[in-house]
Amino acid sequence: MYDLTGKVALVTGSSTGLGKTFAVDLAKAGALVVLNDEKGGDSAESVKGEILSMGGQVLFALADVSNPADVTRMVDTVLERFGRVDILINNAGISMDAVTAKYDLDGWDRVIRVNLNGAFYCTRFCLPSMIQHQWGRIINIGSVVAQIGVAGAPAYAASKAALLGFTKTVAREVARKGITVNCLSLGYIRGGGLMDTVPDRLVSALLEQIPAGRLGRPEDLTGMVNFLVSDAAGYLTGQTIGINGGYFM
């Protein structure tokens, strides 16, 4: 595990699921962690308590990432508390399932606002601090759905596909400022948002298509995240890294 002592890490959508996993793992590596979701409550307090029990430093920031005013307030709060943002993991995401011909128009807008606009807003408002300090690490959490397409998930696939281009563009813009920007394209992970949309009856059929023969686990991701946000990954940027057990090669 790379030492992240003193680094300030903001993980969006981190009260549950993979976001929680990323936040706790970064705290174990020594980072000062900023938790986020739009509701707070028991789940947020539970993650916060877990990090504090390890002796870590943690701040919870209530914000809807699809709302630029919320994101501005969140980042300002982080800067007031810690003075900088070093690491940003754009993890917050939602999905609404229906075929395109029957897709709800408001649902489309909501998915795009959270998954794509949210990543843009957080990146936009965190970048000035990273540029000021000439160091930063941004990881966008993508999906294999963006690369293969999945019937019934048009908005989710579109939003995650857009993240691939966004990742490359921002990486080019800030590469000379000590900032890297990469995307993790996740396959079917236990505890991940994508698995929430897969009926149990389809899991067995899905496993037959995964060369590794199993669904991913959160611990299959944390090592890569820890590496990407470390100094060791300073020459790796603009990349989409698939973690999917060979499902898409």
Side-chain angles (χ1 to χ4, degrees), residues 1-2 4 17-26 28-29 89 139 184 186 189 217-229 243:
M1 178 176 286
Y2 293 92
L4 303 176
L18 295 180
K20 171 186 174 180
T21 298
F22 298 145
V24 172
D25 196 68
L26 291 171
K28 289 179 180 176
I89 300 184
I139 299 177
L184 292 185
L186 305 186
I189 311 294
R217 298 183 289 257
E219 54 265 33
D220 293 320
L221 312 177
T222 51
M224 179 60 71
V225 170
N226 182 254
F227 168 67
L228 288 177
V229 302
I243 306 179

Side-chain angles (χ1 to χ4, degrees), residues 41-69:
D42 292 343
S43 58
E45 288 300 318
S46 175
V47 184
K48 184 177 178 180
E50 184 174 348
I51 293 175
L52 289 174
S53 71
M54 301 186 309
Q57 295 189 58
V58 60
L59 171 71
F60 175 74
L62 186 72
D64 175 356
V65 296
S66 72
N67 183 327

Side-chain angles (χ1 to χ4, degrees), residues 9-184:
L10 167 59
V11 184
T12 66
S14 48
S15 288
T16 59
L18 295 180
K20 171 186 174 180
T21 298
F22 298 145
V24 172
D25 196 68
L26 291 171
K28 289 179 180 176
L32 293 72
V33 174
V34 181
L35 304 172
N36 154 262
D37 70 24
E38 64 176 340
K39 295 180 180 179
D42 292 343
S43 58
E45 288 300 318
S46 175
V47 184
K48 184 177 178 180
E50 184 174 348
I51 293 175
L52 289 174
S53 71
M54 301 186 309
Q57 295 189 58
V58 60
L59 171 71
F60 175 74
L62 186 72
D64 175 356
V65 296
S66 72
N67 183 327
D70 272 15
V71 176
T72 298
R73 285 193 294 270
M74 174 172 67
V75 175
D76 285 347
T77 298
V78 177
L79 294 177
E80 290 171 7
R81 172 73 177 272
F82 297 125
R84 59 195 295 155
V85 180
D86 302 297
I87 297 164
L88 168 65
I89 300 184
N90 284 312
N91 169 77
I94 62 171
S95 180
M96 298 177 63
D97 294 342
V99 296
T100 303
K102 298 180 179 180
Y103 209 85
D104 179 75
L105 301 185
D106 290 337
W108 172 277
D109 288 341
R110 177 61 177 160
V111 172
I112 297 297
R113 287 200 309 270
V114 173
N115 297 5
L116 179 58
N117 293 3
F120 164 68
Y121 297 145
C122 291
T123 301
R124 164 66 178 81
F125 294 119
C126 286
L127 272 176
S129 173
M130 295 180 180
I131 292 171
Q132 178 185 353
H133 293 95
Q134 294 291 287
W135 198 96
R137 298 288 186 267
I138 298 173
I139 299 177
N140 296 318
I141 302 301
S143 171
V144 69
V145 169
Q147 297 168 300
I148 64 173
V150 170
Y156 186 81
S159 65
K160 294 300 186 179
L163 278 182
L164 306 186
F166 179 64
T167 296
K168 294 177 184 294
T169 296
V170 181
R172 287 187 180 276
E173 292 175 347
V174 299
R176 297 192 178 212
K177 303 182 187 299
I179 303 167
T180 68
V181 188
N182 293 288
C183 180
L184 292 185

